[in-house]
Amino acid sequence: LYLEKAGLAPPQEEVIPTITDDSIILPPILRGTLFEKTAVEMVRLLKPEWEVFAANNAYYRMPAARIGATPDVFATRPDIPGLGIIQIKTTDGLIFRKKWKTEDGEIEIPAWIAIQAIVEAKLTGAAWACVALMIGGISTELRLFDVPVHQGVWSRLVDEVADFWQRVEDRNPPDVDYARDGDLVRSTYEAQDGVEADWSSDNRIPALLDERATLKATEKAGSDAEKKRKELDAELLVKLGGAATGRAPDGRVVRVKTIRVNRKPTPASTYSYPKFTIEGEAA
């Protein structure tokens, strides 16, 4: 997100279904959009005493804080005064057990979903919030979860968002998680020919190169060794900071070249990856 908002990476590609001659596969985000109406009808069946009505894709925002949201559904209910929002989510039984249940079997709403509901409630002035989760499988189940509109969570969110936009303005990226962000780092890196990174005082580099060499010698496609080596490659790229060359304190030289490959079957679309060359022996 930082790279996109800072103009250092293109916007995320539009999510589209996978369509063949006789099948169509919806990714989760499109599944949620298409099944939303069904989930709303299930809410009405479950809670006939509630008045539930669509938010009509209205976008609410707080410009000064640069926070916005598009609620799914508004509702009123007899047990809580005031207008509320209902956040619609869809999943399957496997993901529900994995992501929504603790090791003790207790149900716990994923934090990002609870925060999304709180944001929608705050931006719309709603008095309450809940999540309606539609769980697919052999049968279809819908569960409702009330979400407390916690002022402390909202205050922290406002602060975190302000910090994010300040980082974008200052070109001060968040710390990289190489396991999580490695693919993105590798795919967006542009090596600048003729530029050399100053590694003269970076004592992490020799150990990183030693570990990378060990992994490279034993890795196989899809192995844990390959995954770890790719994490180290991402760390090297961050340390290069856009340079095409880096010279380790022990004399080894790292060179990287950006390779571009056409995607098939659409040659106009390409992806890139870094190719490393390590020169010299450790002192």
Side-chain angles (χ1 to χ4, degrees):
L1 184 61
Y2 169 85
L3 292 175
E4 180 181 325
K5 298 305 181 183
L8 303 174
Q12 297 181 26
E13 295 182 0
E14 180 183 2
V15 179
I16 59 175
T18 301
I19 302 175
T20 66
D21 290 340
D22 54 8
S23 72
I24 178 170
I25 300 175
L26 298 176
I29 191 170
L30 293 183
R31 177 191 64 196
T33 301
L34 265 63
F35 290 178
E36 184 176 306
K37 292 182 179 179
T38 301
V40 171
E41 289 305 312
M42 293 181 73
V43 172
R44 291 189 173 117
L45 290 171
L46 177 63
K47 298 291 185 180
E49 71 278 15
W50 291 18
E51 183 180 353
V52 179
F53 49 97
N56 295 323
N57 207 35
Y59 178 67
Y60 294 79
R61 67 192 182 111
M62 184 180 291
R66 303 184 76 171
I67 297 174
T70 306
D72 293 329
V73 178
F74 290 116
T76 59
R77 53 197 281 188
D79 58 324
I80 301 178
L83 184 70
I85 64 98
I86 303 176
Q87 174 61 231
I88 304 294
K89 295 298 180 188
T90 64
T91 189
D92 61 35
L94 178 63
I95 298 300
F96 176 69
R97 292 189 294 272
K98 184 176 180 181
K99 300 290 188 180
W100 289 70
K101 287 190 174 184
T102 66
E103 293 182 356
D104 298 330
E106 297 292 325
I107 295 176
E108 185 174 273
I109 301 174
W112 71 272
I113 294 177
I115 292 170
Q116 183 180 4
I118 291 171
V119 169
E120 292 178 359
K122 283 292 187 179
L123 293 182
T124 61
W128 55 271
C130 78
V131 173
L133 177 67
M134 188 168 77
I135 307 167
I138 296 175
S139 58
T140 302
E141 178 183 7
L142 184 127
R143 294 194 179 199
L144 286 176
F145 305 96
D146 284 320
V147 177
V149 184
H150 196 286
Q151 181 59 40
V153 172
W154 170 250
S155 297
R156 178 176 173 185
L157 179 78
V158 172
D159 290 343
E160 295 279 1
V161 171
D163 177 71
F164 171 81
W165 286 114
Q166 190 63 52
R167 284 178 175 275
V168 171
E169 183 177 337
D170 296 342
R171 290 298 191 265
N172 176 25
D175 292 337
V176 179
D177 180 325
Y178 297 109
R180 181 194 63 199
D181 304 326
D183 287 344
L184 180 62
V185 171
R186 289 187 295 273
S187 66
T188 59
Y189 191 84
E190 291 289 340
Q192 301 177 50
D193 293 336
V195 179
E196 181 172 317
D198 180 10
W199 286 349
S200 57
S201 60
D202 193 333
N203 295 323
R204 162 68 178 152
I205 297 295
L208 191 160
L209 294 179
D210 289 343
E211 184 178 2
R212 184 185 186 277
T214 300
L215 293 167
K216 190 72 175 174
T218 60
E219 72 179 46
K220 296 180 181 179
S223 65
D224 290 341
E226 182 189 48
K227 293 177 183 177
K228 180 60 180 177
R229 191 267 303 165
K230 287 183 176 180
E231 291 178 26
L232 298 181
D233 285 355
E235 185 176 355
L236 276 175
L237 292 175
V238 170
K239 287 182 175 294
L240 282 165
T245 305
R247 191 178 304 274
D250 62 12
R252 281 177 286 185
V253 176
V254 176
R255 303 188 191 279
V256 63
K257 183 177 181 180
T258 301
I259 306 297
R260 289 181 174 80
V261 179
N262 288 336
R263 293 183 187 272
K264 297 180 180 181
T266 54
S269 176
T270 64
Y271 69 94
S272 61
Y273 67 92
K275 182 178 180 180
F276 286 92
T277 303
I278 314 296
E279 301 173 359
E281 296 294 332

